[in-house]
Amino acid sequence: MRTTCSSFDTRPFAMLVMALVTTLMMMSTPARADTPQARGNAMHEALPACPDAPHCVSSLETREDRQVAPLRGGDSLASAEARLTALLDELPRVDWTRIVTGDAIHIHAVFRTRLMRFRDDVNFWIQPDGMIQVRSSSRIGYHDMGANRRRVEQLREALETAPHAAE
């Protein structure tokens, strides 16, 4: 007669498999030179170019498949900065830093994904006329399934409906 063990819990095994798969995905993707840590948080007037992988979009990109339009933040640098920072403060799982180099204002934001807590870098270059050049890129992986493009378009929509800041 054969007996079976019905009290075997598969949850720890599933969690172990998921952790192993996540670790292997992260290990298979080499550290990229375009992360803020790799470039020492140095921000230049022009945003860094997107890498060859399709997980990045930028308003300064010349390749059509990685190009997005810049964001309209306001009529001036001050109003655009105020509207953008107010928006970033309202969003969940976002940390940001303001960087001033000469008369240029850059904002570097780190967006964390909801489920796996992956980090995506979004760089903003606020121009004197209120236009915001933007670059959004995943730190790990090759494909992003359009997440960075969707993020930029959601930011665009939120900025369009955000109240104008008093200057």
Side-chain angles (χ1 to χ4, degrees):
M1 184 168 213
R2 192 171 167 189
T3 60
T4 59
C5 179
S6 62
S7 64
F8 181 71
D9 188 4
T10 60
R11 285 179 297 192
F13 179 72
M15 290 175 60
L16 178 63
V17 168
M18 190 168 173
L20 181 61
V21 168
T22 302
T23 303
L24 288 173
M25 281 177 33
M26 292 172 68
M27 288 174 46
S28 66
T29 305
R32 296 193 339 253
D34 61 344
T35 62
Q37 296 79 9
R39 65 178 190 269
N41 284 327
M43 295 291 288
H44 306 288
E45 279 201 352
L47 302 174
C50 285
D52 288 332
H55 61 252
C56 178
V57 295
S58 173
S59 58
L60 298 179
E61 185 60 57
T62 57
R63 293 172 287 187
E64 203 170 306
D65 61 330
R66 294 192 182 95
Q67 191 175 53
V68 292
L71 306 175
R72 171 52 73 185
D75 296 330
S76 68
L77 188 141
S79 66
E81 179 184 9
R83 290 179 78 205
L84 178 61
T85 56
L87 173 61
L88 292 174
D89 283 340
E90 292 176 11
L91 295 174
R93 300 177 311 279
V94 177
D95 297 314
W96 61 272
T97 303
R98 179 178 186 261
I99 304 164
V100 179
T101 54
D103 57 354
I105 295 179
H106 295 273
I107 293 178
H108 174 253
V110 178
F111 286 71
R112 289 181 312 282
T113 62
R114 185 183 324 232
L115 182 62
M116 298 298 287
R117 301 289 191 219
F118 293 133
R119 294 174 184 210
D120 295 341
D121 293 299
V122 182
N123 298 316
F124 303 95
W125 172 30
I126 306 172
Q127 299 180 310
D129 64 354
M131 192 64 68
I132 303 171
Q133 301 295 337
V134 61
R135 177 187 186 269
S136 183
S137 181
S138 301
R139 286 190 185 181
I140 63 170
Y142 186 75
H143 289 284
D144 69 345
M145 296 181 278
N148 286 293
R149 184 173 298 278
R150 279 191 307 277
R151 176 181 299 114
V152 170
E153 295 310 320
Q154 289 168 348
L155 289 168
R156 181 185 321 286
E157 185 177 317
L159 280 171
E160 287 174 0
T161 59
H164 287 274
E167 293 188 44

